[in-house]
Structure formats: C-alpha cells, structure tokens
Amino acid sequence: MLAKLFRDISASCLPGSPLTHALLNSAADDLESGGVTNLAMAGSERDRPGTVPGLRFAAALHHLVLDGRAPELAAHYPSVGGTPRLETLWSDAEAALKEHEAEVRRLVRANAVQTNEPGRNGPLYGGLLVASERVGGLPVRLLEVGSSGGLNLRPHKVAYQLADGTVLGDPSSELRLNPEWTGLPPADLERPLGLESRAGCDTHPVDVTTKAGQLHLSSYVWADMVPRMERLRAAIRLAETDPVPVERADGSEWLERRLTELPEGVLTVVWHSVMWQYASPAQRERGRAALAGAAARATESAPLALLVYEPRRANGNFELLLKLWPAGLSLRLGHGWGHGLPFTWEERPWG
C-alpha cells in the first residue's frame, strides 16, 4: 500500500520535479524489497492516502539536507546549491536514511503536509477582486482555513507583475510574482483591494518567524524548484514585517465561531487552497454545515463568499471556484497548476 502511494505521488511530481519523482520511485522500490525505507516509515503503514506519506518522507529528507546533516545527499539538491545526479541519487539517499533513520521516522510521524505556496496569491488576489466587485466593492474580511504559516494572508501586499508591464497589488512589495496569467480576472483591476481584516487557522500552524518554522516550510518545497524556494523566502520576509497570527484550531470548529456573525458593510470570504484532501470526512461535513448556516444568514449588506483553489477529481485541474450569498452566484473563475501559476482566467458557471 505505501509503495503504491509513493508511486502515485511520484507521478504527480512531473514535469516540475524530476528529483522528487526519482526519489519517491526509488523509495517505493526499496519499500517493496524490504529496505531501510520500511524502518523510516514504521507507524505510517496505514496512513490515509490524503495525508500523502510520500511527500512527508521527501520533506523529512529535505529537512536533513537544509539542516546540513546530509552533505552527500545535499550535493543532489539545488535548494542548497547542488546538482541532481539521478543515477546516484538513491544510493546517497539510502545512506542518509541509514544514518538518520530514527530522525526521518520522527519527522514523518510528527508533521502534516505543509504546502504554503506563495504563488497561490495570484489566483487568490484576482478572485478577491472579482468577489468584492460582485457585491458592490465592499471591503473583504478574509478567513483562511488551513493557513499553515499564513503566507497567503497578505494578497494585497504582493506585487503582481503582468506580461504587459502592469503591476497590480503593492508595487513596492518585496514579494514580487509573475502570476503567468492567461486572460485577466473579470473585474476592475485598477480598483485597490480593500482588506478589512484577516485571520487564519490550522491544525498544525507554523511560526514563520522562527528558524524551525522556516526550515519546516522550506522542507516541503521540491528541492529542484528553486524559484519556489525564492518565493517562499520572500513571503517569509514579508510575513515578518506584517504579522497575522494563525490560530491552532480545527477548521470546521473555527468556522463555526468565526461565522457566528457576519459584519455589516463587509464581504466575509472563507478561503482555502490545496487542503481539502487533508481534511477527514467528518471535518468536511462539519465545515460544510458551518458555511451553510452562515449562508442562510447572509444579506446584501453583510454578504458571504466561498473562494477555493483545489484539485478537481473529474479533470485533474486545480480550479478557482467562487460562491456568493445571498446573490446565489456560483462561478468557476479559471484553472491552473497546483502552485498557483501559471493560471488561466475563464469565467463559467460552477455546478
């Protein structure tokens, strides 16, 4: 079972990360042959597929590399200046596993997948512009479920450099993204995004102001995707200058509390990205109920929106989906890669 899960996630790493693809395929072979990977994954044999044990395994090894404890393996990792040599990657990974097997097992067991990808600010920013415009330009109260380190709670403080030279958001921002848009959000891009308040929760929040938190998030970046690592580091620096606390809480319980009241004159937006697969069926059902209860109380002067960027089983795309209450709008705004860029804007009905 574990070997299959490793191979499944390995396939999704292409074309972006040949290194992670090769590492997880070799680890799957090692699992099937009774190798050291079985010891490193002890206790995770019955983990739900949604917890993605293969990514947790890859992150544990990357953690060792970033922390300077696996120098031979680090020679393959561009995130620390290495050059991948796929033909010898597994032999060096196996040696690191044998030396640090207990630590890898601890990291795999202790950590949840954390893909706090700043590139997703691109779809989020455009989606918030659309949502606000559809309710008359109201400022946004942003509630993010599954915030991780909260790096996507500052969409208005990012510089979005478009292909024609236009810069949206904050042109002076240290976090500068080329969102790689095809098309544009169906909204007035010259109107600034008003954010009235921001809050987030996570069952395993990461304090990005600490070395441990920064190392943890960095370990989940695929090591041969250097631009992603650079985006992450810029987003962490931005977070240090603009702190937004992330509450340790179950998302469904947190939403029940946060949606008890919908403030007048503000659009409350519930947002999540690439986290739905990690929630249990019970958590999903409770979250849907909390949202439905709030939607029933939404008014034109105190509207509610759901904005999500999640993979769709039907076609494998990651889609940006928007619902608005009480307007009854349900829109598919576009689709893109899991890391938020590139992204194609294409408004259609959702559902």
Side-chain angles (χ1 to χ4, degrees):
M1 178 64 174
L2 266 182
K4 182 181 184 305
L5 294 181
F6 273 48
R7 293 193 199 284
D8 288 347
I9 198 63
S10 170
S12 73
C13 296
L14 292 177
S17 181
L19 185 147
T20 310
H21 170 75
L23 177 70
L24 293 181
N25 262 345
S26 295
D29 291 341
D30 192 59
L31 282 167
E32 290 173 338
S33 64
V36 66
T37 308
N38 288 278
L39 297 176
M41 297 301 296
S44 298
E45 295 88 350
R46 297 182 180 276
D47 286 1
R48 289 189 301 112
T51 67
V52 200
L55 289 186
R56 286 159 37 220
F57 172 82
L61 283 175
H62 196 190
H63 191 286
L64 295 178
V65 166
L66 293 169
D67 207 25
R69 289 185 285 165
E72 290 79 13
L73 183 58
H76 298 273
Y77 279 57
S79 57
V80 291
T83 300
R85 300 183 307 282
L86 300 185
E87 67 279 3
T88 59
L89 171 64
W90 180 249
S91 62
D92 288 330
E94 185 179 35
L97 277 173
K98 289 177 178 177
E99 182 178 356
H100 301 285
E101 169 259 310
E103 175 65 1
V104 171
R105 184 169 62 252
R106 185 191 71 78
L107 289 169
V108 168
R109 296 298 298 156
N111 295 335
V113 174
Q114 300 276 9
T115 56
N116 205 176
E117 172 52 57
R120 295 179 193 135
N121 275 291
L124 172 60
Y125 180 80
L128 290 176
L129 286 178
V130 174
S132 176
E133 186 167 294
R134 298 297 169 95
V135 295
L138 291 178
V140 168
R141 172 196 181 209
L142 183 60
L143 303 177
E144 184 181 34
V145 179
S147 295
S148 186
L151 297 184
N152 293 339
L153 283 168
R154 300 164 189 84
H156 61 316
K157 296 197 172 187
V158 177
Y160 304 93
Q161 176 81 53
L162 303 188
D164 65 358
T166 302
V167 180
L168 305 178
D170 180 1
S172 65
S173 176
E174 183 174 7
L175 177 53
R176 199 171 192 88
L177 293 181
N178 172 5
E180 300 181 44
W181 285 347
T182 297
L184 293 171
D188 180 3
L189 302 185
E190 295 184 1
R191 182 176 59 82
L193 173 64
L195 275 183
E196 186 268 344
S197 64
R198 299 162 288 160
C201 77
D202 199 279
T203 53
H204 301 87
V206 179
D207 184 352
V208 297
T209 67
T210 67
K211 180 182 177 181
Q214 294 169 9
L215 179 60
H216 177 59
L217 287 186
S218 298
S219 72
Y220 275 96
V221 176
W222 292 339
D224 46 353
M225 301 185 78
V226 174
R228 281 188 65 201
M229 187 68 77
E230 293 171 347
R231 287 199 300 269
L232 178 68
R233 289 167 179 161
I236 287 172
R237 292 192 295 271
L238 178 59
E240 290 173 332
T241 67
D242 178 40
V244 182
V246 177
E247 182 179 346
R248 183 181 297 275
D250 171 80
S252 54
E253 178 271 332
W254 185 78
L255 280 180
E256 288 172 348
R257 288 189 282 111
R258 291 283 178 163
L259 295 178
T260 300
E261 296 183 4
L262 299 177
E264 291 285 324
V266 174
L267 170 63
T268 297
V269 177
V270 175
W271 151 261
H272 60 78
S273 64
V274 196
M275 58 73 63
W276 197 238
Q277 65 185 352
Y278 306 123
S280 69
Q283 290 171 325
R284 294 180 186 182
E285 186 61 31
R286 186 175 175 184
R288 289 191 187 101
L291 191 68
R297 301 191 304 274
T299 65
E300 289 188 3
S301 59
L304 174 69
L306 173 67
L307 183 65
V308 304
Y309 189 64
E310 296 285 353
R312 304 289 284 175
R313 290 182 181 177
N315 55 27
N317 286 333
F318 288 75
E319 296 187 345
L320 184 67
L321 306 171
L322 172 66
K323 286 193 174 187
L324 281 165
W325 297 276
L329 286 177
S330 187
L331 302 173
R332 173 189 178 276
L333 295 177
H335 59 90
W337 288 81
H339 302 135
L341 48 98
F343 185 84
T344 298
W345 293 96
E346 186 180 27
E347 180 180 330
R348 296 179 180 177
W350 171 22

